[in-house]
Amino acid sequence: MATNFASRSIFFSHSTKYFILPFKPPSSHLQFPLPLRFTRTTCTLQHQQHKQPQTTRSVIGILEERGLLDSITNDALRSISSNTINAPLKVYCGFDPTAESLHLGNLLGLIVLSWFRRSGHNVVALIGGATARVGDPSGKSLERPELDVETLERNTAGIENTIRTILGRAKNPNFEDSNVNGNGNGNGNDSSVVVLNNYDWWKEFSLLDFLKRVGKYARVGSMMAKESVRKRLESEQGMSYTEFTYQLLQGYDFLYLFQNEGVNVQIGGSDQWGNITAGTELIRKILQVEGATATYGLTFPLLLKSDGTKFGKSEDGAIWLSPSFLSPYKFYQYFFSVPDADVIRFLKILTFLDIDEIVKLEEETKKPGYVPNTAQRRLAEEVTRFVHGEDGLREALRATEALKPGSETKLDWKTIEGIAEDVPSCSLAYDEVLNQSLVDLSVSSGLFDSKSAVRRLLKQGGLYLNNSRVDSENKRIEEADIVDGKVLLLSAGKKNKVLVRIA
């Protein structure tokens, strides 16, 4: 990486906003940004000789403060990451397409990439179209099932769309044009987000090429010493040679990206430490890279609850990031239900709220008169906005309010259908519903197992029809109860619901 830069910079003053425009020196192949400052009163042109690199607060310090830093391969990364003007880093994180959507376990990777992006660095998301064919043994007790080509291509397309959409909301907030597609809500793909697929360079690789260009630099002793490998070798299932080579594949990815894309930092979860250091070691051995042009690795903690269990699983399975797999409403509800013991920590690691604001909110939770779930509501709003955009958040809030038992919000068919995939449902003929006893319908729809259970909850005031509490056992379904002539919503308390579609 070149270290020569032009010595000129231009400053304009107009308000307190800062802009960075690219400038290409005529005698250099490099492009680097120069600061432009505008104020209301003056417009000046300055020429400066031998200007020192402009620095900002280290993104490493930000990550550390928020609990998003586990390990770094070299402490020099702290100071290097501060120079975002003349020498921005290029950072990558890998995502294997083992499913058609990313899930909550992948969210921290996107958040850490976003912090680098917001701090003025360049980021790359790498989809493992090749490595997914092998399977990462890190954190796994069994070998991953093999995926066919059609499934991998479908998964890759779905994940790329999610990555582009989410990272597109993570532009530097100091830039005036920080919105995607200029619509002010960040609900679109951003062409500046770089997404690559490692299958593009592995598909032409032969075994002999691999052995010659990568294998001869690998030391079996070092490979076996990696924690992910050691644990599997000690287990009853053992490890296949295919999985054993995974760290070399990921290591070569780093080498390829370093040589061809200028990537000099790889990030990943703490379970990726062995794979990341395999890459830095391979680059050092093959290219003898040292000093200012060295590569770096960074890991962040895995997403765990305070009791040590994984955060990201619900009773129904993974918490998907794609709205095609999990509605914004249900995504929002998951974060709204975070335990008090975890909510402040999750505000720090899963949102971009200022630390001072989070500390203030934490203080509020300890005061008399604190409204329960206030912190959870803020967490749910911020994370839903980041993953699903303003439109997704509005959809989640609208459904949350409308579907709250006892809510005065009038339900319509569109709102109910918006949660159709998130609640149990059944289809009944019109004449099976009209004039039917609510007690009988509550059993035939599957909301209750017995009529006695319905009557018991009804007496306790916990039975709702379209969010309106029902007090009488004699209630029968009227034509006006069928929302838009299409659906009914039955609720037992706050959480248990059944959607009845009129066939």
Side-chain angles (χ1 to χ4, degrees):
M1 295 192 175
T3 57
N4 295 323
F5 297 97
S7 59
R8 296 184 180 182
S9 60
I10 300 173
F11 293 81
F12 289 103
S13 292
H14 189 22
S15 87
T16 58
K17 294 182 179 176
Y18 291 78
F19 300 85
I20 297 177
L21 298 180
F23 170 74
K24 187 173 182 179
S27 61
S28 172
H29 68 282
L30 292 177
Q31 286 190 347
F32 64 95
L34 295 175
L36 286 170
R37 180 180 180 183
F38 294 87
T39 68
R40 288 193 176 94
T41 56
T42 65
C43 181
T44 61
L45 175 66
Q46 299 177 5
H47 176 77
Q48 295 181 341
Q49 295 289 339
H50 308 296
K51 178 175 171 57
Q52 294 297 317
Q54 185 168 339
T55 61
T56 60
R57 184 187 177 195
S58 168
V59 66
I60 305 302
I62 295 174
L63 296 176
E64 193 167 37
E65 180 182 44
R66 304 183 79 95
L68 283 169
L69 183 66
D70 183 71
S71 301
I72 53 177
T73 57
N74 191 323
D75 210 51
L77 184 59
R78 295 178 182 274
S79 58
I80 292 173
S81 66
S82 299
N83 184 10
T84 63
I85 302 302
N86 291 334
L89 297 169
K90 200 164 189 179
V91 186
Y92 99 91
C93 185
F95 304 89
D96 277 350
T98 53
E100 198 171 347
S101 170
L102 296 178
H103 54 78
L104 200 53
N106 305 121
L107 186 58
L108 279 187
L110 295 174
I111 286 175
V112 175
L113 281 182
S114 296
W115 274 115
F116 275 97
R117 186 162 157 80
R118 290 164 64 95
S119 299
H121 299 287
N122 302 310
V123 301
V124 173
L126 180 66
I127 298 180
T131 43
R133 288 166 164 82
V134 173
D136 184 1
S138 304
K140 301 295 180 183
S141 58
L142 295 172
E143 192 162 351
R144 294 179 186 269
E146 186 175 348
L147 301 176
D148 59 75
V149 174
E150 183 180 346
T151 299
L152 280 170
E153 290 178 348
R154 183 174 63 251
N155 292 352
T156 297
I159 287 175
E160 179 175 354
N161 181 65
T162 299
I163 290 172
R164 289 190 181 280
T165 302
I166 293 178
L167 285 184
R169 303 188 181 107
K171 283 189 175 181
N172 191 328
N174 294 322
F175 291 171
E176 181 169 85
D177 182 17
S178 60
N179 299 316
V180 179
N181 291 344
N183 59 12
N185 59 22
N187 288 318
N189 288 344
D190 183 354
S191 60
S192 70
V193 175
V194 178
V195 182
L196 302 176
N197 188 336
N198 65 7
Y199 186 67
D200 291 338
W201 52 85
W202 279 111
K203 61 185 177 183
E204 304 298 335
F205 236 83
S206 70
L207 176 59
L208 291 179
D209 288 335
F210 176 72
L211 294 176
K212 180 180 179 180
R213 295 167 61 180
V214 181
K216 74 174 185 177
Y217 294 99
R219 293 294 174 263
V220 174
S222 298
M223 292 175 67
M224 293 180 66
K226 305 292 185 185
E227 185 177 6
S228 59
V229 174
R230 181 177 52 78
K231 286 185 176 181
R232 285 291 298 279
L233 291 176
E234 293 173 353
S235 69
E236 184 178 342
Q237 292 78 16
M239 172 182 280
S240 70
Y241 174 73
T242 301
E243 282 189 304
F244 185 58
T245 62
Y246 186 94
Q247 60 178 286
L248 297 182
L249 301 184
Q250 185 168 328
Y252 181 79
D253 284 343
F254 199 177
L255 171 65
Y256 180 91
L257 293 172
F258 177 69
Q259 289 183 300
N260 295 277
E261 300 291 338
V263 171
N264 48 7
V265 181
Q266 181 184 176
I267 68 169
S270 57
D271 59 348
Q272 292 295 305
W273 180 254
N275 292 334
I276 291 174
T277 54
T280 56
E281 291 167 9
L282 190 64
I283 292 170
R284 179 178 57 80
K285 290 177 180 178
I286 294 179
L287 303 181
Q288 297 297 312
V289 176
E290 299 290 351
T293 54
T295 52
Y296 304 90
L298 177 151
T299 60
F300 44 82
L302 299 180
L303 199 54
L304 302 175
K305 296 180 181 179
S306 55
D307 60 4
T309 59
K310 283 189 175 182
F311 179 70
K313 292 284 187 179
S314 69
E315 294 178 358
D316 301 321
I319 303 301
W320 302 106
L321 304 188
S322 169
S324 300
F325 287 79
L326 189 72
S327 72
Y329 162 73
K330 197 162 187 178
F331 185 87
Y332 176 95
Q333 289 298 317
Y334 181 78
F335 285 95
F336 188 77
S337 302
V338 165
D340 291 340
D342 294 314
V343 65
I344 298 300
R345 181 166 59 90
F346 289 157
L347 278 166
K348 292 179 180 179
I349 65 178
L350 296 176
T351 79
F352 299 93
L353 290 177
D354 188 84
I355 284 292
D356 291 339
E357 187 174 352
I358 296 174
V359 170
K360 182 177 180 180
L361 188 56
E362 182 178 19
E363 292 172 351
E364 292 296 323
T365 65
K366 301 173 183 178
K367 294 180 180 178
Y370 168 74
V371 179
N373 292 325
T374 298
Q376 280 87 344
R377 181 176 293 104
R378 190 64 189 277
L379 172 67
E381 289 176 357
E382 293 297 322
V383 181
T384 303
R385 180 184 289 111
F386 177 59
V387 173
H388 294 293
E390 291 290 352
D391 289 346
L393 177 59
R394 279 193 292 268
E395 176 186 331
L397 293 176
R398 185 168 58 246
T400 297
E401 179 59 30
L403 296 172
K404 187 188 304 179
S407 170
E408 295 181 359
T409 303
K410 181 177 173 58
L411 286 176
D412 55 35
W413 171 76
K414 185 177 180 181
T415 300
I416 295 178
E417 278 296 321
I419 64 154
E421 295 182 359
D422 303 326
V423 299
S425 64
C426 67
S427 294
L428 296 173
Y430 190 84
D431 56 5
E432 291 181 282
V433 175
L434 191 64
N435 297 321
Q436 174 78 277
S437 162
L438 180 60
V439 173
D440 292 339
L441 183 61
S442 296
V443 175
S444 62
S445 65
L447 183 63
F448 288 93
D449 294 328
S450 65
K451 294 180 182 180
S452 59
V454 180
R455 294 188 179 100
R456 192 159 49 245
L457 186 65
L458 197 149
K459 291 179 179 178
Q460 297 171 356
L463 184 63
Y464 294 83
L465 171 62
N466 298 331
N467 286 347
S468 296
R469 189 167 64 189
V470 179
D471 298 316
S472 173
E473 289 185 26
N474 300 321
K475 168 63 181 175
R476 291 185 175 274
I477 304 300
E478 303 172 25
E479 185 176 353
D481 295 324
I482 303 175
V483 178
D484 295 335
K486 298 179 179 181
V487 290
L488 288 169
L489 185 65
L490 305 179
S491 304
K494 294 182 178 180
K495 294 184 178 181
N496 298 323
K497 302 178 188 294
V498 167
L499 176 66
V500 180
R501 288 191 175 93
I502 311 303

